[in-house]
Amino acid sequence: FQGIFVLGLPYALLHSGYSGLFLIILAAALCCYTGKILIACLYEENEDGQLVRVRDTYEDIANACCKKLSPKLGGIVVNVTQVMELIMTCILYLVVSGNLLSHSFPYVPVTEKTWSVIAFVTLLPCMFIKTLKIVSKLSQLCSLVHFIIILVVMTYCLTQIHQWSWAKFRLSVEFEDFLVSVGVIIFSYTSQIFLPTLEGNMKNPGEFRCMLNWTHFFACVLKTTFALTAFLTWGEETKEVITDNLPSFLQTLVNLCLLTKALLSYPLPFFAATEIVYACISRGNHSNYRSPLFALGVRGSFLLLTLLMAMFIPHFALLMGLTGSVTGAAMTFLLPSLFHLKLKWEKLSFLEKCADISVFILGFLCSIAGIVCSIKGLLEVFG
C-alpha cells in the first residue's frame, strides 16, 4: 500500500484541494471493501452452513461467473488483464530505476536507457525465485527502505513548520486536474491482484478481514499525514514526485533509497505474472511444460521482455496511464463487485447489492475518465 505512488500524493492534493483529503479516506474504504468481497467469492457454504474455500485464484472466481457462456472465458480475461498490469508495473520499476540512477550520477556519461540495463542486471536473480516466502522477505526490506524515505521527507517538512499555511489549499479545482488526482489516490491502494494468493498462504485465513481493516486504516493515516505535511511545506511549488522538492544534499540520498525500493519492489509483480503464465502453460498432462528448466525459461523470457519494453517503447508513462485506467479499475472495482453480485446475489441484502452496484458504477466512471485523459495526452504528444 505504501508504494512509489505515495510520493505523488502531495501533488494530487495540489490539484484536488480539500476534496483530496476526503478522497484518500474514501479510496481506503472502497479498496478495503472490494478486497473483502473478492475473497468472499472464494468461499461457498457447505451442507452444514460452514464456509468452505472452493476456489483458489482470481481466475477460478472468473470461471465460476462465466461458466454458462464458456468454462474458461472468464479466467482468460482475468489472466490477460492481470499479466498486462503486472508486466507494466515491472517495466515501470525499470524505467524509474534508470531515471533515478541518471539523476543520482549526472556527471557519469551514461544514458538513462543504459542505466536501466545496469539495473536490469541486478534483477537477474529473480529468475531463481520459486516461492512467495522469498518475495515476502524482499517486500519487508522494501517497506523498511520506504519508511526511511518517508521519515527523511517528513523530518525535513517538520523543520519548515513555521511557513505552513492552510491558505495553500484550494476550494475550487479544475475537473481534468481533479481526475488525475483521483487516479493517483485510488491506485495507490490497489492490491486486489495479490489478495487471493495472500489469503491462501495465511496461517490463519480467518484473520484476513481484520488484517485488511487495519492495513487500510494505517495506510490511510500514513498517506494523509505524509501528503498533508509535504503539501503544507511547498504549496504551489509541489512537484509531481515530492522528493524533487528536497534540497540537493538530501535528493541524492533519497534517490538512492528510491532506487533500492524500486529494485526490491520488482520481484512481487514479476513473481505473480510468471506464476500465472507458467500455470496456464503447464496445465494438463504436458509433463515437458512442468520441468524446472521450462519454468526458468518462462521467468527469463519475462525478464528480457520487461527490459526490451522499458527501453524501446516511447512515452511509456502515458501508455502506463492508459493501461492502468483499464486494468487497474477493472481489477480493483469492476470485477470484484460484478463477481460478488453474480455469485452471491441470492444471499446479499438490499444494502449490500446497492453497495456493489455503486462501486461498479464508480469504477466504470474512473476508468472512462482515465482513458480519456490518457488518450488526450497521447494525442498531444504525437501532434
Side-chain angles (χ1 to χ4, degrees):
F1 294 145
Q2 299 302 111
I4 286 177
F5 260 126
V6 174
L7 300 175
L9 288 180
Y11 185 73
L13 282 189
L14 172 64
H15 289 294
S16 58
Y18 284 101
S19 60
L21 296 174
F22 172 72
L23 276 173
I24 293 174
I25 299 168
L26 179 64
L30 289 175
C31 290
C32 182
Y33 175 74
T34 56
K36 290 176 183 176
I37 62 175
L38 180 67
I39 296 305
C41 293
L42 297 173
Y43 290 84
E44 295 289 349
E45 287 187 2
N46 62 13
E47 295 175 355
D48 300 323
Q50 296 177 323
L51 288 175
V52 179
R53 202 177 202 261
V54 295
R55 304 175 188 102
D56 293 317
T57 63
Y58 215 135
E59 179 189 3
D60 293 339
I61 297 170
N63 283 332
C65 290
C66 299
K67 63 183 178 183
K68 290 184 179 179
L69 290 173
S70 171
K72 296 183 179 179
L73 176 63
I76 292 170
V77 172
V78 163
N79 281 336
V80 169
T81 305
Q82 284 186 100
V83 171
M84 279 178 63
E85 184 168 352
L86 291 166
I87 287 179
M88 283 295 201
T89 304
C90 290
I91 299 166
L92 184 62
Y93 285 135
L94 271 179
V95 173
V96 166
S97 298
N99 180 270
L100 289 168
L101 279 166
S102 67
H103 281 82
S104 299
F105 306 104
Y107 304 111
V108 179
V110 173
T111 65
E112 206 168 291
K113 289 183 178 180
T114 307
W115 280 122
S116 291
V117 174
I118 294 169
F120 169 79
V121 172
T122 66
L123 294 169
L124 288 175
C126 290
M127 289 175 60
F128 305 100
I129 294 176
K130 296 179 181 179
T131 66
L132 200 61
K133 285 186 177 180
I134 297 171
V135 177
S136 173
K137 287 181 172 62
L138 293 172
S139 293
Q140 283 182 324
L141 288 173
C142 179
S143 298
L144 178 62
V145 172
H146 183 81
F147 280 113
I148 292 171
I149 296 167
I150 298 296
L151 184 64
V152 169
V153 175
M154 289 191 66
T155 302
Y156 177 80
C157 290
L158 291 173
T159 63
Q160 307 297 311
I161 198 168
H162 58 276
Q163 64 180 32
W164 286 9
S165 170
W166 285 96
K168 295 175 181 179
F169 268 97
R170 296 183 182 184
L171 287 173
S172 60
V173 293
E174 291 186 17
F175 184 65
E176 197 167 312
D177 291 337
F178 177 74
L179 289 178
V180 174
S181 302
V182 170
V184 172
I185 291 168
I186 287 177
F187 296 121
S188 70
Y189 283 103
T190 56
S191 63
Q192 277 69 6
I193 286 178
F194 309 109
L195 292 185
T197 304
L198 177 63
E199 195 260 0
N201 281 277
M202 286 179 71
K203 287 183 179 179
N204 184 3
E207 295 178 349
F208 178 82
R209 293 175 70 88
C210 179
M211 177 275 293
L212 215 58
N213 288 335
W214 281 109
T215 49
H216 278 82
F217 171 75
F218 283 120
C220 179
V221 170
L222 286 168
K223 287 177 196 292
T224 305
T225 306
F226 176 73
L228 199 55
T229 55
F231 177 72
L232 287 173
T233 301
W234 287 290
E236 293 291 329
E237 296 177 5
T238 301
K239 296 183 180 178
E240 287 187 47
V241 179
I242 198 62
T243 50
D244 290 341
N245 282 102
L246 291 171
S248 55
F249 71 93
L250 283 176
Q251 264 195 39
T252 303
L253 169 66
V254 172
N255 280 347
L256 290 174
C257 287
L258 280 170
L259 171 67
T260 306
K261 175 177 170 50
L263 294 176
L264 288 171
S265 298
Y266 185 96
L268 179 58
F270 173 79
F271 177 80
T274 52
E275 285 295 294
I276 291 168
V277 173
Y278 181 61
C280 292
I281 295 173
S282 62
R283 194 171 291 144
N285 297 317
H286 304 291
S287 57
N288 292 336
Y289 295 151
R290 293 200 297 271
S291 69
L293 191 61
F294 181 75
L296 199 63
V298 170
R299 291 194 284 268
S301 300
F302 259 71
L303 266 173
L304 191 59
L305 176 67
T306 58
L307 174 66
L308 292 174
M309 290 182 74
M311 291 184 68
F312 297 113
I313 294 181
H315 312 299
F316 177 76
L318 288 171
L319 289 173
M320 179 74 184
L322 181 59
T323 307
S325 297
V326 179
T327 61
M331 301 302 289
T332 306
F333 295 120
L334 300 178
L335 295 182
S337 54
L338 190 63
F339 292 163
H340 194 233
L341 287 168
K342 172 69 176 175
L343 294 173
K344 307 290 183 180
W345 179 264
E346 295 178 359
K347 297 177 182 178
L348 295 178
S349 67
F350 175 73
L351 287 177
E352 287 173 323
K353 290 175 182 177
C354 288
D356 286 355
I357 293 168
S358 299
V359 168
F360 182 87
I361 293 171
L362 181 64
F364 180 76
L365 293 174
C366 285
S367 181
I368 293 297
I371 290 169
V372 170
C373 288
S374 299
I375 291 176
K376 184 179 178 182
L378 285 169
L379 289 174
E380 287 174 358
V381 165
F382 289 108

